[in-house]
């Protein structure tokens, strides 16, 4: 039976295309994240700067609420896009490694004991984990901790927290005018309580005066 495997020349051409596809997906994912980070940061900055102006007008407060709500939706979509981009990158990396395996680039160089001692194009721990990638059928596995993707996801999560707080504040302004001085006083009082732990004497005194 004739050998149906592609020739080395064809593999080299496909390998060149696989490298280009991998680079394209990495760049596309980063360009998307730059867009979302810039857009969401601008919305948050505008919303925070608009809070004081909108505090005396319920119509402006309603607009501010909608602005933060839209920001939450955009950031949620950014997280989904981040995850999708990671899947595309992993798939491109998988195809690249398949060709490297056929070309013998994953074989360890003689007299070198390190698993990194080969000619495969791999610069991260995930790319170098050839065995796990080749045997795994789950391209949708969870994102590695402390990776660039994980850090971006945490940044987006922090943005959503800020946006939700903005929604709560603006919703409160729609219901009634916002007393900025009262908010500052309450925040300062809460911070002082955190910096001065409650003593046992204070606890006993509180229990002694509390109704039964």
């Amino acid at each position: 039976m004739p050998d149906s495997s592609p020739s080395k020349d064809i593999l080299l051409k496909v390998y060149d295309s696989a490298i280009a596809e991998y680079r394209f997906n990495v760049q596309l994912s980063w360009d998307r994240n730059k867009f979302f980070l810039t857009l969401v940061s601008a919305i948050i900055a505008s919303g925070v700067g608009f809070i004081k102006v909108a505090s005396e007008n319920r119509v402006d407060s309603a607009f501010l609420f909608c602005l933060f709500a839209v920001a939450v939706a955009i950031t949620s979509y950014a997280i989904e896009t981040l995850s999708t981009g990671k899947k595309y990158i992993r798939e491109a990396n998988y195809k690249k490694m398949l060709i490297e395996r056929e070309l013998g680039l994953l074989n360890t160089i003689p007299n070198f004991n390190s698993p990194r001692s080969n000619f495969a194009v791999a610069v991260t721990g995930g790319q170098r984990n050839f065995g796990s990638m080749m045997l795994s059928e789950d391209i949708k596995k969870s994102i590695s901790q402390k990776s660039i993707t994980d850090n971006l996801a945490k940044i987006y999560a922090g943005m959503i927290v800020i946006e939700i707080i903005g929604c709560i504040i603006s919703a409160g302004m729609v219901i009634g005018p916002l007393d900025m001085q009262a908010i500052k006083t309450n925040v300062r009082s809460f911070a002082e309580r955190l910096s001065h732990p409650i003593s046992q004497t204070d606890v006993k005194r509180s229990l002694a005066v509390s109704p039964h």
Side-chain angles (χ1 to χ4, degrees), residues 100-101 103-110 117-120:
E100 288 172 339
R101 178 180 178 274
L103 291 172
L105 300 179
L106 297 181
N107 299 331
T108 303
I109 300 173
S117 302
N118 53 50
F119 294 109

Side-chain angles (χ1 to χ4, degrees), residues 93-197:
N93 189 43
Y94 178 75
K95 297 299 182 183
K96 177 183 72 69
M97 282 195 297
L98 282 178
I99 303 171
E100 288 172 339
R101 178 180 178 274
E102 293 300 310
L103 291 172
L105 300 179
L106 297 181
N107 299 331
T108 303
I109 300 173
N111 302 323
F112 287 87
N113 296 324
S114 173
R116 302 180 330 189
S117 302
N118 53 50
F119 294 109
V121 179
V123 295
T124 66
Q127 289 179 328
R128 287 193 295 267
N129 194 3
F130 306 118
S132 175
M133 180 65 75
M134 298 297 289
L135 296 175
S136 176
E137 295 293 333
D138 186 12
I139 299 298
K140 301 179 180 179
K141 65 180 181 179
S142 60
I143 297 173
S144 303
Q145 295 293 321
K146 297 182 179 180
S147 64
I148 294 177
T149 306
D150 179 58
N151 290 333
L152 284 172
K154 290 176 180 177
I155 291 174
Y156 285 136
M159 287 178 165
I160 287 182
V161 171
I162 296 173
E163 293 157 2
I164 291 175
I165 293 174
C167 287
I168 295 173
I169 292 176
S170 54
M173 292 190 297
V174 173
I175 297 173
L178 181 63
D179 188 346
M180 298 299 294
Q181 186 60 38
I183 291 179
K184 291 180 181 179
T185 302
N186 291 333
V187 171
R188 189 180 300 111
S189 175
F190 180 71
E192 290 176 353
R193 290 181 182 179
L194 290 179
S195 61
H196 296 86

Side-chain angles (χ1 to χ4, degrees), residues 32-33 36-37 75 78-79 82 152-160:
R32 286 173 174 173
N33 282 289
F36 282 117
L37 287 171
T75 310
I79 294 176
L82 175 66
L152 284 172
K154 290 176 180 177
I155 291 174
Y156 285 136
M159 287 178 165
I160 287 182

